[in-house]
Amino acid sequence: MVVSLLWISGAICLAGMLLPAPALGAQDSRNCPPAVEPLTADQLQAAVVHARDRGLLWRITRDGRASYLYGTLHVGKAAWMMPGPMVRHALEQTDTTALELDPLDGQVQRDIAATIAARPATNLPAALQARLAMLWDQQCLPIAALDSGPVELHAFTLMFMIGRRDGFDPAYGTEVMLAALAHDAGRAVVSLETAASQLNALLARDAAEAQEIVQEALDDLEADRPRDVLRKSARVWEAADLAAFDRYREWCGCYKSELDRRLMKRVLEDRNPGLAQRIDALHSEGRRIFAAVGTMHMVGPSGLPALLAQRGYRVERLR
């Protein structure tokens, strides 16, 4: 299945970022991925110099004003931490950055932590817990973090952390970059969802589903399938290959089981109407919105470009 977890939303990335950082010492014998460090001035300058457009971009126009839709990737690389000229121009034409959740909003972080803490504990069978702990340790994540929080969240976190050896990390995700730029520039930043509503869509409905999520996630991780999907996802996102995204069911490995199909419906199709309504409401207030949402929310007849066209917007694909 659970290559489908790679498509799951920004709250899980943010929840993963709330984990305590691993304590890596000089004698650590594990093959740990490089730790994320604040970008240096030289790295930032290089990112500016070499910035180029990545991801998909649409302009939506109604009531004499243009807003924009931008499909994001929830993990990224340090070299991607500056927008390219087309995305930068769209940002300059707008006054509000709208994200699924603002990852730099302290209240959002507190709400995520409170929602996670309120979830009832799920006890995994001993053999499954041991497999989870082994993979957790292999990713150099702090073992103590497994003592709290929903077990399916631990599976989600592992899915996002497997790309770190290839240079991908949630700390470099598109939303983090856009939120940092907006806050630094004094732009308005709004969350299109609440932490509770997003997590309630993402996390298991009951203990049986939670165990099923962990089981299928570990099966995929042990077979190293998610890493290949993440690499392809990054390639097609970087190239803004909408045709490849339209065919994602052929290569994502995310519709293989009934659990896959339930999760994908909950995290994509069921959330899209609310995201479209919130974007429409902000635009209708007179704002010019740069709405940055996970790319899979943009695909197909239930994606945001299609839903906003139904609300009377003229929708133009720019990239």
Side-chain angles (χ1 to χ4, degrees):
M1 129 191 168
V2 185
V3 177
S4 66
L5 300 187
L6 290 172
W7 299 109
I8 282 179
S9 186
I12 294 303
C13 288
L14 181 53
M17 290 165 63
L18 295 177
L19 287 169
L24 303 180
Q27 303 304 313
D28 197 320
S29 61
R30 297 171 296 179
N31 178 27
C32 293
V36 173
E37 301 286 352
L39 297 182
T40 66
D42 287 345
Q43 287 175 313
L44 287 171
Q45 181 60 33
V48 171
V49 170
H50 299 291
R52 62 183 183 84
D53 287 304
R54 299 175 174 87
L56 295 108
L57 183 68
W58 290 261
R59 180 167 51 226
I60 59 172
T61 307
R62 201 187 68 185
D63 305 325
R65 290 187 315 284
S67 289
Y68 293 83
L69 300 176
Y70 182 55
T72 67
L73 190 68
H74 296 316
V75 297
K77 296 185 175 184
W80 296 358
M81 290 300 282
M82 287 294 171
M86 186 176 291
V87 172
R88 189 166 59 248
H89 176 76
L91 286 166
E92 291 168 353
Q93 302 306 304
T94 58
D95 53 51
T96 301
T97 296
L99 307 169
E100 293 174 39
L101 293 172
D102 177 0
L104 302 184
D105 184 332
Q107 187 58 54
V108 167
Q109 295 179 16
R110 289 188 291 274
D111 289 346
I112 287 176
T115 302
I116 289 172
R119 299 278 298 190
T122 299
N123 294 317
L124 295 173
L128 194 59
Q129 183 66 37
R131 289 172 63 197
L132 176 63
M134 180 178 295
L135 287 172
W136 194 264
D137 185 61
Q138 288 173 4
Q139 291 300 322
C140 303
L141 297 169
I143 290 295
L146 289 178
D147 294 335
S148 60
V151 292
E152 67 272 31
L153 176 59
H154 301 146
F156 295 157
T157 300
L158 278 172
M159 283 286 180
F160 277 104
M161 294 300 182
I162 52 95
R164 290 183 300 161
R165 288 181 173 83
D166 297 316
F168 299 107
D169 197 286
Y172 300 136
T174 316
E175 293 83 0
V176 177
M177 178 266 286
L178 291 170
L181 290 175
H183 285 293
D184 287 348
R187 283 171 59 93
V189 184
V190 299
S191 294
L192 295 170
E193 299 179 296
T194 66
S197 68
Q198 193 177 102
L199 281 166
N200 287 338
L202 299 174
L203 298 184
R205 292 295 180 257
D206 52 37
E209 186 177 79
Q211 182 173 325
E212 188 179 7
I213 288 172
V214 174
Q215 174 73 58
E216 293 198 20
L218 298 188
D219 290 346
D220 273 358
L221 285 161
E222 288 166 351
D224 207 26
R225 287 187 285 267
R227 194 171 179 185
D228 289 338
V229 174
L230 177 56
R231 288 168 175 163
K232 177 161 185 175
S233 302
R235 287 197 304 270
V236 298
W237 176 79
E238 192 174 7
D241 188 347
L242 182 58
F245 277 117
D246 283 336
R247 298 191 305 272
Y248 73 97
R249 292 189 187 211
E250 300 173 11
W251 54 266
C252 72
C254 53
Y255 280 86
K256 294 188 297 183
S257 69
E258 176 57 31
L259 175 60
D260 280 342
R261 292 185 283 274
R262 288 200 311 270
L263 283 174
M264 293 298 281
K265 182 176 185 299
R266 283 209 309 256
V267 302
L268 294 177
E269 296 170 32
D270 291 353
R271 287 170 54 216
N272 284 352
L275 289 166
Q277 181 179 21
R278 178 74 168 131
I279 292 167
D280 180 35
L282 290 167
H283 183 93
S284 298
E285 291 174 4
R287 302 193 195 209
R288 298 176 185 270
I289 308 300
F290 186 92
V293 176
T295 296
M296 291 308 299
H297 291 283
M298 305 294 184
V299 175
S302 64
L304 295 182
L307 294 180
L308 287 161
Q310 293 171 17
R311 289 175 172 264
Y313 288 83
R314 181 163 62 93
V315 178
E316 306 165 82
R317 169 99 186 275
L318 301 181
R319 186 176 192 279

